[in-house]
């Protein structure tokens, strides 16, 4: 546990942007799973309580997997976690846009951008893995 | 559009994105051998730009090494050819020299024979 905390702290120091968002999604996803559509007005309007719970589950799993990746020093977990984060953020962002219309045009695209950023990071990690493998 | 329609659209989107995510997950799982070795607690900048530069330099180096090799083999060929020619020339020179010696000896012999014959002729002329 202490090693995990130390690893997380070192990750926070070296790559804060890449770490904060996925780890934070543990709480956000748990929140979404517990509260369902009461956590977001967009989903209340749409009546999509299952979908927001699904997105919440994906976000929660994202955070847990990324944390495992940091703890076990295995980038596979991080990458799969990020993939789930893509799914969760994209669904939530789409839901915000569809549910709130023009009033969802800040938070909705913001979440879609998160999904895009996670995809970019997945590509980056794959590229790094390939060049690290080739150096040997 | 009513909320039901929008919810339906969202559900369709969810299914599509879910399928895409599953495919992505499988793709990533295939690459886990490479991914496992990355250091996840720090952003070690394995610089991909310098990596491609290094690759290009290595390829260039290989090309130049090929050229040098072919040039060296050509030089060797030329050298061996000139060696052979020199040897050939030396051989011919030796043969000519031997021929020269032989001819000189022969000339000397003939000269001696001629002198003898001339002396005999003079003797015969003197007696007659």
């Amino acid at each position: 546990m202490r090693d995990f905390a130390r690893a997380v702290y070192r990750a926070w120091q070296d790559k804060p942007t890449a770490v904060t968002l996925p780890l934070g999604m543990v709480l956000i996803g748990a929140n979404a799973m517990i509260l369902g559509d009461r956590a977001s007005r967009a989903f209340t309007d749409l009546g999509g309580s299952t979908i927001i719970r699904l997105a919440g589950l994906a976000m929660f799993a994202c955070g847990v997997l990324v944390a495992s990746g940091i703890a076990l020093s295995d980038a596979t977990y991080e990458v799969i976690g990020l993939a789930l984060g893509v799914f969760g953020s994209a669904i939530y962002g789409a839901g915000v846009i569809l549910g709130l219309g023009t009033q969802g045009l800040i938070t909705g695209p913001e979440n879609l951008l998160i999904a895009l950023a996670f995809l970019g990071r997945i590509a980056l990690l794959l590229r790094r893995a390939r060049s690290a493998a080739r150096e040997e | 559009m009513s909320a039901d329609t929008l919810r339906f659209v969202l559900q369709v989107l969810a299914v599509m994105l879910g399928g895409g995510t599953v495919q992505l997950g499988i793709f990533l799982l295939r690459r886990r051998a490479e991914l496992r070795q990355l250091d996840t607690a720090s952003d070690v900048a394995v610089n991909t730009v310098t990596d491609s530069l290094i690759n290009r330099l290595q390829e260039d180096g290989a090309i130049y090494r090929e050229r040098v090799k072919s040039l060296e083999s050509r030089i060797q060929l030329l050298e061996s050819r000139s060696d052979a020619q020199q040897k050939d020339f030396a051989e011919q020179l030796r043969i000519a020299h031997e021929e020269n010696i032989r001819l000189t000896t022969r000339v000397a012999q003939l000269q001696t024979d001629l002198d003898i014959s001339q002396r005999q002729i003079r003797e015969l002329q003197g007696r007659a």
Side-chain angles (χ1 to χ4, degrees):
Chain A
M1 197 57 209
R2 158 139 349 122
D3 292 337
F4 173 63
R6 202 176 304 141
V8 169
Y9 181 62
R10 198 151 68 89
W12 160 258
Q13 282 186 317
D14 270 339
K15 43 177 195 173
T17 325
V19 158
T20 323
L21 211 37
L23 291 188
M25 280 190 172
V26 172
L27 295 174
I28 296 180
N31 190 20
M33 282 195 292
I34 295 172
L35 291 178
D37 58 358
R38 282 174 309 176
S40 165
R41 189 157 70 82
F43 283 81
T44 316
D45 289 351
L46 283 178
S49 60
T50 357
I51 295 194
I52 193 177
R53 286 207 161 92
L54 182 64
L57 176 64
M59 288 186 192
F60 180 76
C62 164
V64 166
L65 281 173
V66 168
S68 318
I70 294 178
L72 300 171
S73 192
D74 185 354
T76 327
Y77 292 117
E78 177 171 356
V79 153
I80 296 187
L82 287 173
L84 286 173
V86 169
F87 175 69
S89 310
I91 288 300
Y92 179 71
V96 164
I97 295 177
L98 289 174
L100 295 180
T102 37
Q103 283 159 323
L105 281 185
I106 293 185
T107 312
E110 202 166 19
N111 277 278
L112 295 180
L113 285 174
I114 292 176
L116 203 56
F118 282 1
L119 277 176
R121 182 159 175 85
I122 292 176
L124 171 70
L125 289 176
L126 283 175
R127 232 179 304 135
R128 272 201 208 148
R130 200 168 359 117
S131 67
R134 211 183 308 140
E135 270 177 21
E136 301 168 7
Chain B
M1 282 199 282
S2 72
D4 286 329
T5 332
L6 292 173
R7 187 174 66 238
F8 175 69
V9 169
L10 190 59
Q11 282 167 339
V12 168
L13 272 177
V15 169
M16 286 184 356
L17 280 174
T21 312
V22 167
Q23 271 188 327
L24 182 59
I26 294 178
F27 172 78
L28 294 171
L29 277 174
R30 288 238 181 87
R31 301 245 180 317
R32 57 185 337 211
E34 290 175 336
L35 284 166
R36 213 185 298 247
Q37 46 170 312
L38 281 186
D39 183 16
T40 50
S42 68
D43 258 5
V44 176
V46 176
N47 204 329
T48 50
V49 170
T50 57
D51 204 50
S52 64
L53 183 64
I54 288 174
N55 275 333
R56 222 163 0 109
L57 287 175
Q58 279 179 332
E59 285 172 9
D60 281 351
I63 290 177
Y64 282 126
R65 244 175 286 146
E66 281 297 321
R67 271 205 213 160
V68 165
K69 230 183 288 179
S70 77
L71 282 176
E72 277 183 352
S73 65
R74 274 180 60 197
I75 287 177
Q76 233 181 3
L77 195 63
L78 288 173
E79 275 184 357
S80 69
R81 215 183 291 166
S82 99
D83 274 350
Q85 281 180 344
Q86 267 189 334
K87 239 183 275 177
D88 196 43
F89 185 63
E91 184 71 19
Q92 287 183 347
L93 195 59
R94 193 178 55 81
I95 291 176
H97 191 60
E98 281 180 5
E99 187 77 13
N100 190 19
I101 292 178
R102 209 167 41 79
L103 289 173
T104 316
T105 330
R106 186 87 182 107
V107 163
Q109 276 180 339
L110 293 173
Q111 184 70 41
T112 325
D113 286 348
L114 185 62
D115 285 344
I116 293 177
S117 310
Q118 278 184 339
R119 210 168 345 112
Q120 283 180 340
I121 290 176
R122 254 184 273 132
E123 270 184 31
L124 288 172
Q125 279 182 337
R127 231 185 276 153

